[in-house]
Amino acid sequence: MPVRAEHDRAVLADLLSRDPVLHAYQLGDLDDFFWPYTSWFRRGEQVALLYHGVQLPTLLAFAAPPRVAELAALLTDVAPLLPARSWAHLSPGLDATLARWFHVSDAAPHHRMALTDPARLARVAPAGEVLGPADLPELLNLYAAAYPGNWFDPRMLDTGQYVGIRAAGELVAVAGVHVWSPAFRVAALGNVTTDPKARGRGLAGAAVAALCARLRDSVDHVTLNVRADNRAALRLYDRLGFTRVADFVECGLRHRR
């Protein structure tokens, strides 16, 4: 079965919606907000996305374990079409598939988590205020101090799905989204951090609780990505009712040519 570039959002939505938690990011990228920055490849029921809306294009390719071999076949055909350098989020084993064409670097295991026990979340007192574009300079300062190198698209402040906590008038904690799609009823939390001098007070948990309360009416699935070795974050999200639902690898790809 040949690989093809897929331009039909309805076809992609049907395939990705079969596992909305695993494919939350890709479903969100079907929205008009992200769609112009995407290239999609399909072989049968398997889909891969190349997202161009960041400095380093990012490849997303996920499949449930029984279907990883099918997705590997798609990536085998797509590999010669990919840029010379990119970042990738891949189901386990697909980094080895791409190693034939690319030098794979900085590979780090990650977990996809989903909110499966909202009752735990309800035990955390929510706190924070909604941030908007006017808060961008202060938010960038917080990320520079507390979360350097994170991926943050300032346009996401327009969603109204960023919650910040201030202390003595200073922004010290934030929880936001990488994806928010009421159309596909999915969200992916991201850019969650606390200023180092304010850690240990439960502020990140309070901001996440407030954000999830805002998301409740517009989405059915709240997901997030976390590095497998980030024990503090894993403890936090477990306490808030999130469960590990899939594993994947983030890595850099540089063409061998």
Side-chain angles (χ1 to χ4, degrees):
M1 183 179 297
V3 66
R4 54 172 290 179
E6 183 58 71
H7 306 289
D8 190 327
R9 277 194 264 193
V11 170
L12 292 166
D14 175 66
L15 293 171
L16 297 170
S17 294
R18 297 175 189 181
D19 192 339
V21 171
L22 183 63
H23 299 302
Y25 277 76
Q26 290 123 306
L27 282 168
D29 287 341
L30 295 176
D31 281 350
D32 289 344
F33 191 83
F34 295 113
W35 176 257
Y37 304 98
T38 63
S39 297
W40 299 85
F41 305 95
R42 178 171 70 87
R43 182 173 182 171
E45 297 183 352
Q46 300 305 312
V47 173
L49 162 64
L50 185 66
Y51 182 69
H52 307 277
V54 287
Q55 184 174 7
L56 194 62
T58 300
L59 175 68
L60 284 79
F62 301 116
R67 311 299 293 271
V68 168
E70 297 172 27
L71 187 52
L74 183 156
L75 292 182
T76 296
D77 290 340
V78 166
L81 307 177
L82 295 177
R85 293 183 65 248
S86 61
W87 191 249
H89 297 194
L90 306 168
S91 286
L94 295 178
D95 49 332
T97 297
L98 290 172
R100 174 180 172 186
W101 296 273
F102 296 91
H103 297 284
V104 177
S105 62
D106 302 316
H110 283 66
H111 302 317
R112 172 68 49 82
M113 304 187 78
L115 181 60
T116 58
D117 190 357
R120 290 192 192 181
L121 191 66
R123 299 172 192 157
V124 178
E129 60 189 75
V130 177
L131 303 180
D135 300 297
L136 179 60
E138 195 174 5
L139 183 58
L140 291 176
N141 287 338
L142 174 59
Y143 285 143
Y147 200 177
N150 69 315
W151 180 83
F152 169 64
D153 184 342
R155 297 185 307 150
M156 295 305 291
L157 286 172
D158 294 330
T159 66
Q161 305 301 333
Y162 270 69
V163 172
I165 297 176
R166 286 185 165 85
E170 180 182 356
L171 187 66
V172 295
V174 65
V177 291
H178 285 154
V179 163
W180 174 59
S181 175
F184 296 105
R185 307 288 297 180
V186 297
L189 304 189
N191 295 312
V192 178
T193 195
T194 303
D195 191 296
K197 64 179 178 289
R199 289 175 182 167
R201 306 179 195 171
L203 298 181
V208 169
L211 177 56
C212 288
R214 290 185 58 79
L215 294 170
R216 185 180 300 125
D217 292 335
S218 61
V219 306
D220 298 321
H221 303 285
V222 179
T223 70
L224 58 89
N225 293 338
V226 61
R227 275 184 64 117
D229 61 359
N230 190 341
R231 296 182 179 178
L234 289 169
R235 286 194 299 268
L236 168 66
Y237 293 126
D238 178 72
R239 180 168 59 88
L240 295 175
F242 286 82
T243 301
R244 172 181 166 187
V245 294
D247 297 332
F248 68 98
V249 174
E250 286 194 18
C251 60
L253 301 176
R254 180 171 57 85
H255 211 285
R256 291 184 179 274
R257 288 179 301 194

